[in-house]
Amino acid sequence: MAIPNHIIKRIEDQIDIVELVSRYVALERRGDRFWGCCPFHLEKTPSFSVTPSRGSFYCFGCKKSGGIFQFLMEIDKIGFVEAVHQFANQLGIIIDKNDERGEENLQEKKALLLLYQRIVKTFEHYLWNTADGESALQYLHQRGLGEKTIRHYQIGYAPKDKYFLYSFLQKKGYSDKILDKSGLFSKKYPQFPFFLDRILFPVFQNTGEIVAFSGRLITEPLNAHSPKYLNSPDTLIYNKKQNLFGFYQAKKAIAEQGFMLCEGAMDVCAMYEMGFPQAVASLGTGFTQEQAKLLRRNTEKGYIIFDNDEAGEKAKKSAIFILEKLNMQMKIVDLEEEKDPGEILQKKNLKGLQKSIDSARIPIEFLIDITARPVPQNAAEAVGVCQAIFPYIQSISSPVIQDEMLRILATRLNLKEGVVVDEFQRFDKKSIRRLTVGEDVETQDLHSKSLYQFNGTIYELLRIFLEHPHCYAQHGRALQKRWLDSHESQLVASYLENNLDKISFSLWLEEQSPFDKDIKCYLLQPSHFEPDDDIGQYVQIMLKQLEVRELERECLNLADMIKRAEKRGDSDESVNDLMKDYILVVQELQQLKAGL
């Protein structure tokens, strides 16, 4: 018997084709597609493309194409059934070929999608053509929304009549069983609508089907039992953690301009009214990793525009960490005087909004600002701020960016960069076990993600060489001059070539001028190795980390060259040559990281 269709659909919804292909191919985003060298035939110029919005791949060279199943079948030389089982095992999905209930659910999902497609038109009709809907329409206009925006999001109105919706849908032939699963009616009173006397904002899946609503009261709620916003519960066709309001309408703009993440449906509509069609919002839940992945399929950058209050600050911080895990580039918009985009629209302060967007802060600056309140008055308070910021810096995968974040942190707190680097090292050492003789591969893998991924690496390495001359004798030749990117590191490397006595080093150090005091203090500190530590293996890891950092810098430089070449309108041949160099460096980088 064939694998149930609902299983296949569930896998397709949960597997990100870009993440899948990236396990085998180094991909580079260009427009709404990702490009790389085809894994199915040899080629020098990338002709293999992945379109995340469609969940598909295509090679212009060998003409192979398809979705996630076809890719796995081709790459692993397996059949369709085996590919489905591999994905199912990965996702923890149990496949029961005799699951009649699953097929029944699939039919119910189709019925619910058709129901929502029909009912949204009914709610729109009530907004535009009835006396009850007139006050709702007037409210939307007062909030600054024009007809174009209202129709763009298919906003409607749920009437006051408690019995209208149930009676209406019964006459259309819908059974109580389907209506009970629709999310449109109260669980306690099955004939009473979930949304009553509310403006309704339809929630679309990324494929265009309407699956839920967000309902807003026209007037302010009288008590806690009448929330201002009411969002559809999870149903067979809707999971609030996996959907974003406005995403379907914003997909193209997001791919071209990046996302603008807001708090609610009204904010999204306000942003669209003000000329920002790339706005989206989560509904009834905090921003989730699933929603972040949805954005990641279409862009790698964007803005966070949450409410200007304490709750908004907490939500921003949470979103920053979620997006950082996916290596997303984001900036935080401070709305200053207004609370949210809806208020900006009402005040017609478009210039103020644009100014706020133009002056948006990178995450590290935002986190420092909210953490360093009040401003630290002494070193102990400054260290406390650093300790609060370090988890964010630790979550950053790129050593180059980590290095820059530490520099910014030191500058903003008026501390020496070396001091902040040293504090970060101590912080990170607490969370990562030391690599010792006999530890397994898992421990080594943990260590490869350790603190030695920024400029402080070179000084830690030099400090070990000074304290353990036998390590320098064995590994000193691997120390590349190009890694010595400061006056101090070059001087110490020169000393090591001629003198291996650390006692005389302290005397020699006093004679060097200029020489940063913090670096001097750092180099004279003991490295705190335990007697049974394998220092040589430790040093080898650090040397590889320095090579990784160098290659990552080269990747950033090549990526920048490609962007500038495309902007200048250089020939396709020139751009392809740069792309080829980029992919070669990425492949070398991946191989090096795999060995850590």
Side-chain angles (χ1 to χ4, degrees):
M1 185 179 292
I3 295 174
N5 289 333
H6 72 276
I7 293 290
I8 296 172
K9 180 67 167 60
R10 186 176 169 189
I11 292 172
E12 287 176 333
D13 288 342
Q14 294 187 46
I15 293 292
D16 186 333
I17 192 168
V18 175
E19 289 183 5
L20 172 65
V21 176
S22 294
R23 299 174 195 170
Y24 307 89
V25 181
L27 296 175
E28 170 75 10
R29 180 185 282 277
R30 296 174 67 183
D32 63 347
R33 294 184 181 182
F34 288 81
W35 293 83
C37 290
C38 182
F40 308 128
H41 78 285
L42 294 176
E43 63 177 5
K44 296 181 179 180
T45 302
S47 63
F48 181 85
S49 70
V50 179
T51 309
S53 59
R54 297 177 182 174
S56 64
F57 70 88
Y58 179 75
C59 178
F60 289 87
C62 67
K63 309 301 181 184
K64 283 186 168 57
S65 64
I68 57 170
F69 296 111
Q70 288 74 20
F71 181 84
L72 192 61
M73 290 163 64
E74 287 286 349
I75 205 76
D76 285 351
K77 305 302 180 186
I78 58 177
F80 175 75
V81 173
E82 189 175 350
V84 174
H85 277 276
Q86 280 197 29
F87 284 131
N89 290 337
Q90 177 184 329
L91 297 170
I93 296 174
I94 298 174
I95 298 177
D96 182 357
K97 294 180 180 180
N98 298 313
D99 182 10
E100 296 179 0
R101 182 62 188 152
E103 286 298 327
E104 182 181 347
N105 283 347
L106 185 61
Q107 296 304 316
E108 289 177 349
K109 285 180 180 180
K110 291 180 180 179
L112 290 176
L113 289 172
L114 182 59
L115 167 59
Y116 271 82
Q117 180 183 338
R118 289 174 173 172
I119 202 65
V120 73
K121 296 177 181 177
T122 302
F123 291 141
E124 280 189 280
H125 171 80
Y126 259 81
L127 177 70
W128 292 99
N129 301 293
T130 68
D132 285 345
E134 186 176 349
S135 58
L137 187 59
Q138 184 179 2
Y139 172 82
L140 291 171
H141 288 323
Q142 288 173 350
R143 292 294 303 267
L145 301 186
E147 180 175 349
K148 178 183 176 183
T149 298
I150 296 170
R151 294 195 182 278
H152 179 71
Y153 290 101
Q154 293 186 240
I155 300 172
Y157 170 71
K160 299 176 182 179
D161 187 345
K162 294 181 180 180
Y163 304 99
F164 159 75
L165 188 60
Y166 179 80
S167 175
F168 173 76
L169 292 177
Q170 251 202 342
K171 290 177 182 178
K172 294 293 182 181
Y174 286 97
S175 66
D176 286 346
K177 182 179 178 181
I178 286 294
L179 296 184
D180 181 59
K181 296 183 177 184
S182 68
L184 294 171
F185 294 90
S186 165
K187 288 294 182 183
K188 189 174 182 180
Y189 304 103
Q191 295 186 9
F192 286 7
F194 190 73
F195 300 103
L196 197 66
D197 192 23
R198 288 177 181 266
I199 295 171
L200 294 186
F201 299 86
V203 180
F204 291 72
Q205 285 189 132
N206 62 333
T207 49
E209 298 93 348
I210 297 168
V211 292
F213 291 100
S214 178
R216 193 198 192 283
L217 284 176
I218 300 172
T219 57
E220 292 300 312
L222 297 176
N223 53 61
H225 300 291
S226 301
K228 183 188 296 185
Y229 278 98
L230 193 61
N231 299 294
S232 290
D234 286 354
T235 63
L236 285 172
I237 59 173
Y238 176 62
N239 184 322
K240 55 180 171 285
K241 291 184 178 181
Q242 296 178 357
N243 289 269
L244 286 165
F245 176 79
F247 180 78
Y248 174 70
Q249 293 91 336
K251 278 196 300 185
K252 183 178 179 181
I254 288 173
E256 294 172 351
Q257 305 171 49
F259 66 85
M260 286 190 168
L261 181 62
C262 304
E263 282 199 41
M266 185 62 78
D267 293 334
V268 171
C269 295
M271 292 297 291
Y272 180 83
E273 183 73 32
M274 291 184 286
F276 298 95
Q278 66 270 45
V280 296
S282 55
L283 295 168
T285 180
F287 185 64
T288 67
Q289 186 175 5
E290 293 86 352
Q291 292 166 344
K293 287 182 178 180
L294 191 60
L295 293 174
R296 183 68 172 76
R297 294 176 187 176
N298 291 265
T299 188
E300 296 174 350
K301 60 184 181 180
Y303 294 86
I304 298 175
I305 311 179
F306 286 170
D307 289 0
N308 189 19
D309 54 23
E310 185 177 350
E313 282 190 355
K314 290 181 180 179
K316 290 172 190 174
K317 186 176 180 180
S318 175
I320 285 171
F321 276 83
I322 290 171
L323 291 166
E324 187 61 59
K325 287 181 180 179
L326 298 177
N327 295 317
M328 300 277 275
Q329 303 170 33
M330 75 213 88
K331 288 188 175 182
I332 318 302
V333 178
D334 185 357
L335 298 179
E336 297 181 358
E337 297 178 2
E338 289 85 7
K339 179 187 175 184
D340 54 38
E343 192 172 308
I344 292 174
L345 177 59
Q346 280 188 293
K347 294 181 178 180
K348 302 185 184 303
N349 189 15
L350 185 55
K351 288 185 178 180
L353 174 61
Q354 189 60 58
K355 182 181 177 182
S356 295
I357 293 172
D358 293 340
S359 59
R361 295 168 290 176
I362 59 175
I364 188 73
E365 293 175 339
F366 165 77
L367 292 172
I368 293 171
D369 287 343
I370 66 171
T371 306
R373 287 196 309 232
V375 177
Q377 300 299 310
N378 52 53
E381 291 181 359
V383 169
V385 173
C386 289
Q387 294 287 334
I389 303 298
F390 284 160
Y392 167 70
I393 299 176
Q394 192 180 45
S395 72
I396 297 171
S397 60
S398 167
V400 178
I401 299 176
Q402 269 194 343
D403 188 15
E404 178 65 12
M405 296 303 100
L406 288 166
R407 185 193 65 77
I408 291 172
L409 180 59
T411 301
R412 292 290 299 276
L413 295 177
N414 198 27
L415 297 172
K416 290 285 189 179
E417 185 175 347
V419 173
V420 175
V421 168
D422 201 20
E423 282 294 327
F424 183 67
Q425 289 178 345
R426 283 195 287 269
F427 169 84
D428 210 25
K429 280 180 179 178
K430 292 178 182 178
S431 61
I432 300 175
R433 290 185 296 158
R434 181 178 291 283
L435 180 62
T436 59
V437 176
E439 287 191 283
D440 56 21
V441 176
E442 182 180 358
T443 305
Q444 295 183 35
D445 187 54
L446 277 172
H447 195 83
S448 72
K449 301 172 184 176
S450 73
L451 61 110
Y452 302 107
Q453 295 182 340
F454 48 88
N455 275 344
T457 309
I458 195 66
Y459 293 111
E460 173 71 4
L461 193 58
L462 292 172
R463 184 169 68 173
I464 293 172
F465 283 158
L466 287 165
E467 190 169 313
H468 303 277
H470 68 281
C471 279
Y472 181 75
Q474 292 175 359
H475 305 289
R477 291 183 180 180
L479 190 63
Q480 302 294 318
K481 288 186 177 180
R482 66 179 183 275
W483 298 342
L484 307 172
D485 53 2
S486 70
H487 170 70
E488 288 82 0
S489 61
Q490 292 167 7
L491 281 175
V492 176
S494 177
Y495 175 86
L496 281 167
E497 290 179 7
N498 300 289
N499 194 325
L500 297 179
D501 185 355
K502 191 170 183 180
I503 296 176
S504 61
F505 171 72
S506 61
L507 300 175
W508 172 86
L509 200 57
E510 291 300 323
E511 299 174 357
Q512 305 308 309
S513 181
F515 203 102
D516 187 275
K517 292 181 180 179
D518 293 316
I519 296 175
K520 182 186 296 185
C521 180
Y522 181 82
L523 290 171
L524 290 173
Q525 291 178 3
S527 55
H528 302 296
F529 278 95
E530 301 297 333
D532 61 345
D533 284 349
D534 187 343
I535 303 173
Q537 192 173 12
Y538 188 71
V539 166
Q540 287 179 326
I541 289 176
M542 295 177 67
L543 288 167
K544 284 187 178 181
Q545 290 287 5
L546 285 166
E547 290 183 49
V548 165
R549 189 186 72 175
E550 194 68 29
L551 287 174
E552 287 189 329
R553 283 181 173 174
E554 191 173 346
C555 283
L556 289 174
N557 288 335
L558 283 168
D560 185 58
M561 291 171 66
I562 291 168
K563 289 179 181 178
R564 284 190 275 113
E566 290 178 332
K567 191 174 182 180
R568 288 194 305 266
D570 290 1
S571 66
D572 289 342
E573 185 178 356
S574 298
V575 174
N576 286 337
D577 286 342
L578 287 172
M579 184 71 75
K580 176 184 174 182
D581 292 340
Y582 177 83
I583 291 174
L584 289 174
V585 174
V586 169
Q587 290 173 341
E588 184 181 354
L589 181 61
Q590 290 175 334
Q591 291 174 0
L592 187 59
K593 285 184 175 181
L596 284 171

